Amino acid sequence: MKILRPIALCIIGLMLLCPAFAKVPTKAKIAFVSEKDNSWGIDMMNPDGSDRVNLIQHQGGVNQLAWSPDGKQILFGTRNDKGTHDIFIMDADGANAKPLFKAQNYKREPAWSPDGKQIAYMAYSKISGAWHIHIASTDEQSVEPTIPVGRLGGAPAWSPDGTEIAFVKAACQKREIYIYNLETNAQEKLLSENPPSMLYPAWSPDGKKIAFYWSRIGQQKGIYTVNRDGTDLQQVTETGARVLSLTWSPSGDELLYAQTANDFYQLFKVDLRTVEIEQLTHEGHNSDAVWFDPSPSSLSVSPSESLLTTTWGKVKNSD
């Protein structure tokens, strides 16, 4: 018994510290930000809007969720009464919520790399008065400022193979989507010959397309998809209401988004095959949804082997 006791205590300690024991949803779920009567939280529901439950309530604002690739944890942005932004992490069931980083100032919009080892997020520089995309290891051993995006830019989104990040660059009242190559540090504009005001880039699960919200000057607002190389631009929805967030279903045949409805943001999904739209939420404000499916068939792209061996310290600033 004296020999077994230290081993048992060690196992218990590992269970308390290691996120590997966090619960993973057994079927497809959508997590999203909810707000009602000035109370912010994170809720979860089935993809058809049923079985809605609250995972956590958080003082101040909550926004911009990111589900870990293995489904065990969720990142989320917070905002306190002083206007300071930070990033928290919690288990997928709402337990063990805590700040992700020790330094807690001016961080927002987290995005998890496909291999689960890095986090891309927005960080504010008081010196330049602008936001940059930073990339950090999840153990906070390496943090690199990489991409300046301007005062109103951001929304980093990893490609499914982990080699690129799509993001919004804002300059001179323009908001355009760029793609940053993590191996070459090169940047390229997604659509070079079209009006600006492009927001919320989201990669399709197979990495072939990017969806985004477009408030086109002099034209109707709506959600669009385009091939990674900028070809085959397609309008999915046409709406005068503002869209707040956008994500793909794990199967790649639906888009999930938040849109104003009767002065509140509600969650909708559109079937890309039939273009039928379904409203999923109806009370309070609901936005920033992320979709996780534990089914192996939903994981269509593996991270690039070459990227997994990349040293993040080699990633440099790119103009």
Side-chain angles (χ1 to χ4, degrees):
M1 292 297 293
K2 292 183 179 180
I3 297 176
L4 293 177
R5 185 177 180 183
I7 296 175
L9 291 174
C10 180
I11 293 173
I12 293 172
L14 288 173
M15 291 177 68
L16 293 174
L17 294 174
C18 182
F21 294 94
K23 293 181 180 179
V24 179
T26 57
K27 59 181 180 179
K29 290 289 184 178
I30 292 172
F32 57 98
V33 172
S34 64
E35 186 272 329
K36 188 175 183 180
D37 300 327
N38 294 318
S39 177
W40 293 85
I42 298 175
D43 289 3
M44 183 181 289
M45 64 183 178
N46 293 331
D48 62 1
S50 63
D51 294 337
R52 176 171 174 170
V53 296
N54 176 253
L55 298 179
I56 190 174
Q57 293 296 118
H58 194 279
Q59 293 182 347
V62 180
N63 50 45
Q64 298 138 352
L65 307 186
W67 215 314
S68 66
D70 60 10
K72 295 176 181 178
Q73 295 174 299
I74 294 175
L75 294 171
F76 60 98
T78 65
R79 184 182 67 254
N80 62 25
D81 295 336
K82 298 180 180 179
T84 299
H85 297 266
D86 196 16
I87 298 173
F88 275 57
I89 188 170
M90 69 178 188
D91 294 344
D93 61 2
N96 302 317
K98 60 183 178 180
L100 179 63
F101 300 119
K102 295 177 182 178
Q104 301 173 31
N105 278 315
Y106 301 103
K107 299 182 182 72
R108 59 180 175 87
E109 299 184 47
W112 227 308
S113 65
D115 64 0
K117 297 180 180 179
Q118 288 86 27
I119 306 292
Y121 61 93
M122 300 300 302
Y124 182 74
S125 170
K126 292 183 179 180
I127 298 176
S128 65
W131 292 86
H132 290 69
I133 295 175
H134 287 215
I135 296 174
S137 57
T138 51
D139 58 7
E140 206 174 351
Q141 295 300 310
S142 173
V143 180
E144 290 290 331
T146 56
I147 313 168
V149 299
R151 291 180 180 271
L152 299 174
W158 293 83
S159 63
D161 65 1
T163 63
E164 297 178 309
I165 292 178
F167 66 98
V168 174
K169 179 181 286 189
C172 300
Q173 297 183 344
K174 293 182 179 181
R175 291 184 179 183
E176 299 170 297
I177 294 176
Y178 279 73
I179 298 176
Y180 179 80
N181 188 300
L182 289 156
E183 296 173 322
T184 66
N185 304 325
Q187 293 185 27
E188 63 176 293
K189 193 184 301 186
L190 179 61
L191 294 173
S192 59
E193 298 180 357
N194 288 283
S197 300
M198 302 163 67
L199 297 170
Y200 315 125
W203 294 84
S204 62
D206 61 9
K208 295 180 179 180
K209 290 183 177 291
I210 294 176
F212 62 95
Y213 170 62
W214 202 350
S215 177
R216 304 183 70 178
I217 297 176
Q219 299 186 38
Q220 188 69 277
K221 301 176 182 178
I223 295 173
Y224 292 75
T225 62
V226 66
N227 288 341
R228 161 61 187 83
D229 61 4
T231 62
D232 194 27
L233 179 66
Q234 299 286 337
Q235 185 170 8
V236 178
T237 70
E238 182 176 325
T239 174
R242 183 185 173 186
V243 169
L244 188 61
S245 59
L246 180 64
T247 189
W248 291 77
S249 66
S251 60
D253 52 15
E254 293 176 297
L255 285 170
L256 179 66
Y257 59 98
Q259 178 182 291
T260 51
N262 298 322
D263 297 324
F264 288 86
Y265 280 104
Q266 301 298 343
L267 294 177
F268 296 79
K269 66 178 179 180
V270 55
D271 191 312
L272 296 175
R273 299 158 298 185
T274 64
V275 201
E276 292 182 358
I277 296 175
E278 179 182 0
Q279 184 172 343
L280 300 180
T281 61
H282 301 271
E283 297 182 354
H285 285 288
N286 304 278
S287 64
D288 297 286
V290 288
W291 198 328
F292 176 76
D293 190 343
S295 171
S297 61
S298 67
L299 305 176
S300 58
V301 178
S302 299
S304 167
E305 292 183 3
S306 61
L307 185 66
L308 296 183
T309 60
T310 298
T311 301
W312 289 109
K314 295 180 180 179
V315 180
K316 304 297 182 180
N317 288 339
S318 179
D319 296 330

